[in-house]
Amino acid sequence: MRVGVLTGGGDCPGLNAVIRAVVRKGVAEYGFEFIGFRDGWRGPLEADTVDLNIAAVRGILPRGGTILGSSRTNPLTVDGGVEAIEANFDRLGVDALVAIGGEDTLGVATTLAKHGLPVVGVPKTIDNDLSATDYTFGFDTAVTIATEAIDRLHTTAESHHRALVIEVMGRHAGWIALHSGMAGGANGILIPEVPFDLDQVCGWVETRFESDYAPIICVAEGAVPADGNLMTKDTTVDAFGHAKLSGIGDWLASAIEYRTGKESRAAVLGHIQRGGTPTAFDRVLATRFGLHAIAAIKDGDSGKMVALRGTDIIRVPLAEATAQLKTVPLDRYTEASAFFG
Ligand code: F6P
């Protein structure tokens, strides 16, 4: 059997660990051959491939990024996109595909599976916002990086008696802000799910200064003021219709300084959260996802996604995986609010 592998959407630490596990088990246990597709769905669309074998995956377990490259190409918005992929699979002798991606990549995989292409999905996103799995790999690494950044911001904020705002990723879901803010002892956490009241945030900042501490506010890029709008870099959107989010951290730091009279600055963590080596947790989760995904291909269990449920890896229908986003429940946010101010 010849199995294609692709990684689509925003990269995240652990992608290489999945690729390695898929290939190692596939070759050693099932005698499969592999073909790598470059840059997400662009690879199958344009038949852009790369050799994928045991030698190609040697040494990649701790490496960030993806040896296959990634993109946000959406074949469903390309005229004849699905037909082109089907034709390329036929020509290249691809019998099945492992698609490693988030809601967008797996949404395309769901459509292709409905067209009869044997596809198994592996969930990835640093945002941890896929509903069918308890955790996605990449999230733990992003939270670890953001937590270390908050630890560092505390000491400089205190030296200068400043308020510091840290902007972390999280377009629709505030998981990174919630976890890193809690782990790093932030004095306020702002997430997309709960529009924030600027007066309340300024109140937290003032209370913190009163007790001789410098406040740290951790804000997700998709957080919105109760009486304002989502902040975007420009008016462009990607192939899946997502705007480029940017600006909430700087806006908030200026607003805090203006209202409280206390010097405030913002640090925007950006893609640092997505780069570099995965944590041990993410390496193990990604490896287990890879092992179970290739087993699903072997079983002919197409149209499924591997998922973490408790400590078990299970298979769920791909359609279920992308049906709705896993956002932060209000009780989790309320729980964290014990430390605000
Ligand atoms: O989906 C993962 C993610 O990192 C989001 O948190 C963020 O909004 C987006 O990707 C950024 O995308 P890009 O790297 O294309 O700017």
Side-chain angles (χ1 to χ4, degrees):
M1 184 182 245
R2 195 153 210 232
V3 183
V5 182
L6 67 79
T7 53
D11 71 334
C12 89
L15 287 168
N16 287 324
V18 180
I19 298 167
R20 169 180 172 267
V22 163
V23 173
R24 286 281 294 271
K25 186 176 169 95
V27 171
E29 287 190 26
Y30 308 137
F32 289 168
E33 275 179 27
F34 289 90
I35 184 165
F37 287 106
R38 284 187 208 268
D39 301 343
W41 291 111
R42 193 187 67 73
L45 204 53
E46 298 175 10
D48 191 355
T49 65
V50 59
D51 287 344
L52 196 54
N53 48 36
I54 297 282
V57 300
R58 199 159 284 142
I60 66 172
L61 172 63
R63 259 172 67 187
T66 159
I67 60 165
L68 297 176
S70 193
S71 76
R72 295 194 188 274
T73 302
N74 183 356
L76 304 183
T77 59
V78 174
D79 238 2
V82 174
E83 293 72 20
I85 290 177
E86 284 172 331
N88 286 333
F89 274 20
D90 273 354
R91 198 164 54 78
L92 296 165
V94 173
D95 304 301
L97 179 74
V98 175
I100 311 165
E103 67 168 309
D104 298 329
T105 305
L106 297 181
V108 175
T110 308
T111 304
L112 292 183
K114 282 185 193 146
H115 274 76
L117 290 177
V119 188
V120 168
V122 176
K124 72 85 229 179
T125 163
I126 63 163
D127 293 349
N128 195 38
D129 58 1
L130 284 175
S131 60
T133 182
D134 288 353
Y135 283 99
T136 48
F137 63 87
F139 172 65
D140 185 66
T141 306
V143 168
T144 302
I145 294 168
T147 302
E148 192 198 322
I150 295 173
D151 289 347
R152 289 174 186 277
L153 291 177
H154 275 295
T155 62
T156 173
E158 274 157 31
S159 304
H160 289 268
H161 317 290
R162 283 176 180 147
L164 280 177
V165 174
I166 176 164
E167 180 185 309
V168 298
M169 281 186 169
R171 203 194 283 272
H172 307 291
W175 290 108
I176 298 176
L178 184 77
H179 280 224
S180 62
M182 194 179 241
N187 313 113
I189 299 172
L190 308 176
I191 60 174
E193 294 85 341
V194 184
F196 64 87
D197 175 3
L198 187 55
D199 289 334
Q200 187 180 41
V201 176
C202 291
W204 297 337
V205 165
E206 278 168 337
T207 314
R208 202 64 187 170
F209 275 124
E210 277 160 24
S211 61
D212 252 353
Y213 266 125
I216 307 284
I217 305 294
C218 182
V219 59
E221 60 182 352
V224 271
D227 53 1
N229 296 312
L230 192 65
M231 283 177 210
T232 54
K233 192 174 174 63
D234 50 38
T235 52
T236 60
V237 290
D238 67 21
F240 289 91
H242 303 303
K244 291 190 197 105
L245 301 187
S246 155
I248 187 67
D250 282 322
W251 179 87
L252 191 60
S254 302
I256 290 172
E257 183 163 309
Y258 180 75
R259 289 188 178 218
T260 66
K262 300 285 187 192
E263 193 184 3
S264 306
R265 300 282 178 84
V268 180
L269 215 45
H271 292 86
I272 291 169
Q273 291 156 97
R274 292 220 313 242
T277 190
T279 58
F281 180 91
D282 281 338
R283 292 182 202 187
V284 171
L285 181 58
T287 298
R288 293 185 71 206
F289 276 164
L291 297 173
H292 285 260
I294 198 64
I297 296 273
K298 166 76 176 158
D299 294 345
D301 207 1
S302 173
K304 295 287 170 59
M305 181 190 87
V306 292
L308 181 70
R309 199 61 58 78
T311 53
D312 294 333
I313 307 291
I314 58 164
R315 297 174 193 171
V316 297
L318 259 175
E320 189 184 301
T322 51
Q324 75 182 87
L325 279 180
K326 182 179 68 191
T327 50
V328 174
L330 191 57
D331 61 326
R332 285 292 310 273
Y333 186 67
T334 309
E335 183 184 74
S337 70
F339 300 98
F340 296 174

